[in-house]
Amino acid sequence: MDLDTSKLIDGNRVAESIYEELRAEIAELSGRAPRVVFIRVGEDPASRFYVSKKKKIALSIGAESDIVILPETITEEELIVKVKEFNKDDGTDGILVQAPLPKGISEANVFNSIDPKKDVDGFNVLNSGLLVQEDLESFAPCTPQGILELLKREKIETTGKHVVVIGRSLIVGKPMALLLARKHPQGNATVTICHSRSENLPEITKQADILVSAIGRPATVTADMVKEGAVVIDVGINRVDDPEAKKGYRIVGDVDFEAVVPLVSKITPVPGGVGPMTVATLMQNTLKAYKLRHSR
Ligand code: GUN
């Protein structure tokens, strides 16, 4: 089957155009460059990969960036002390603590210790609350915010549409639903949240004009779950064994891609769809944090 590439939403292209904009804006700043610090605990391979990628991109747009690597054995209290050092540091605009954290450390406690004005990930409880209050000055989590940006730049209308979100995580599902339900041109949607315990999932997803899957399980969204002409946003990043691949595995999303493509009007591929937008939004948030702190 030939793939109809006109249906694919190219996240890499959109992210690149955002980097161009940020690069130009940062080059015009007087004084020091925006600075984002990444805190990584332990040696989780995925975290190592993502954090080094984020730093590389930060440097490429003219921001400053450092990675702080802490041992797996660190306690929650010690980690929070480290976060608070960066809260106080006037030369740091953004702080990101990469999840997942080792067992025994409360991610919520750590995220809540980040200065809300430096919380470029948008996971601090104050920013979660401000999202509910529809405060546009706050930081929203990068992946759902990046999806809004992708929908906007692809001219995909959300007002009045039925969006079904599969997944209820702090990082994607819940903030995605809140953002889309906001009274805002990139919101105004009718939103349904589904999750692993939802009954009659296909019946619900089939009603979606826009279907967002963030459940983290391959082939969760099959052709019988998608309405003809729907927009499908695949947030999943899942490893599946593939003896033919060089590394012995390949990355797939949550969507049974080849079966679903013929049905959709637009779809994000994995990789190259939502993933690049998460990092692009993080960079936008870093510049936003810098401006917030320098406009006092
Ligand atoms: N782990 C997986 N996604 C994310 C993210 O967006 N931010 C952080 N801090 N950790 C993550």
Side-chain angles (χ1 to χ4, degrees):
M1 182 191 68
D2 281 337
L3 190 65
D4 182 355
T5 53
S6 69
K7 292 181 173 184
L8 303 187
I9 301 176
D10 185 349
N12 281 315
R13 184 180 49 77
V14 177
E16 268 314 318
S17 63
I18 290 172
Y19 296 143
E20 283 303 316
E21 293 163 18
L22 292 173
R23 213 171 270 131
E25 204 173 336
I26 289 171
E28 289 294 309
L29 295 174
S30 55
R32 69 168 179 83
R35 179 164 185 269
V36 57
V37 171
F38 301 110
I39 300 178
R40 195 190 86 205
V41 182
E43 299 298 329
D44 175 63
S47 292
R48 285 175 64 149
F49 173 79
Y50 287 125
V51 167
S52 62
K53 187 165 172 173
K54 288 169 187 174
K55 177 181 172 184
K56 213 164 106 191
I57 291 175
L59 298 179
S60 82
I61 59 165
E64 288 175 10
S65 179
D66 273 311
I67 301 175
V68 177
I69 302 164
L70 300 172
E72 184 90 23
T73 50
I74 198 167
T75 64
E76 185 176 309
E77 291 71 27
E78 289 165 339
L79 176 54
I80 289 174
V81 166
K82 197 76 200 169
V83 168
K84 288 184 174 170
E85 279 174 25
F86 288 109
N87 284 346
K88 278 201 227 113
D89 176 24
D90 209 37
T92 298
D93 304 296
I95 303 168
L96 180 150
V97 180
Q98 185 71 19
L101 292 172
K103 276 199 186 70
I105 298 183
S106 154
E107 289 184 354
N109 288 348
V110 174
F111 294 147
N112 294 345
S113 74
I114 297 172
D115 178 343
K117 288 199 159 50
K118 298 187 179 187
D119 176 32
V120 285
D121 246 341
F123 297 157
N124 179 290
V125 67
L126 185 79
N127 282 314
S128 309
L130 290 171
L131 176 58
V132 177
Q133 289 187 346
E134 306 196 9
D135 180 323
L136 298 177
E137 295 300 304
S138 63
F139 293 99
C142 297
T143 300
Q145 182 69 42
I147 291 169
L148 282 199
E149 188 77 26
L150 207 51
L151 294 173
K152 179 180 166 189
R153 292 187 190 226
E154 292 289 315
K155 301 190 169 42
I156 295 166
E157 185 64 71
T158 56
T159 294
K161 302 298 180 196
H162 187 186
V163 183
V164 176
V165 179
I166 314 178
R168 54 182 159 182
S169 69
L170 173 78
I171 296 185
V172 187
K174 276 199 283 265
M176 181 83 268
L178 286 167
L179 285 166
L180 285 162
R182 279 193 314 197
K183 195 169 185 174
H184 188 273
Q186 270 77 57
N188 290 327
T190 304
V191 183
T192 303
I193 305 182
C194 301
H195 44 74
S196 55
R197 305 297 295 269
S198 294
E199 291 179 1
N200 308 324
L201 189 60
E203 218 170 274
I204 301 165
T205 58
K206 238 187 141 123
Q207 297 171 33
D209 301 306
I210 302 173
L211 179 59
V212 181
S213 183
I215 199 118
R217 203 178 56 207
T220 299
V221 176
T222 47
D224 60 309
M225 295 168 68
V226 179
K227 179 167 81 173
E228 183 104 37
V231 173
V232 173
I233 306 293
D234 191 351
V235 190
I237 301 178
N238 308 300
R239 264 189 196 194
V240 292
D241 291 338
D242 181 356
E244 314 242 304
K246 214 160 74 187
K247 292 181 177 161
Y249 67 86
R250 65 197 157 87
I251 299 294
V252 300
D254 292 349
V255 177
D256 182 359
F257 189 75
E258 296 212 336
V260 167
V261 166
L263 291 167
V264 300
S265 59
K266 292 267 175 191
I267 186 166
T268 58
V270 177
V274 172
M277 292 304 294
T278 300
V279 190
T281 308
L282 178 67
M283 300 304 140
Q284 287 178 318
N285 280 353
T286 299
L287 181 57
K288 179 171 165 175
Y290 172 94
K291 288 185 189 164
L292 260 181
R293 298 182 58 252
H294 289 77
S295 63
R296 284 172 294 174

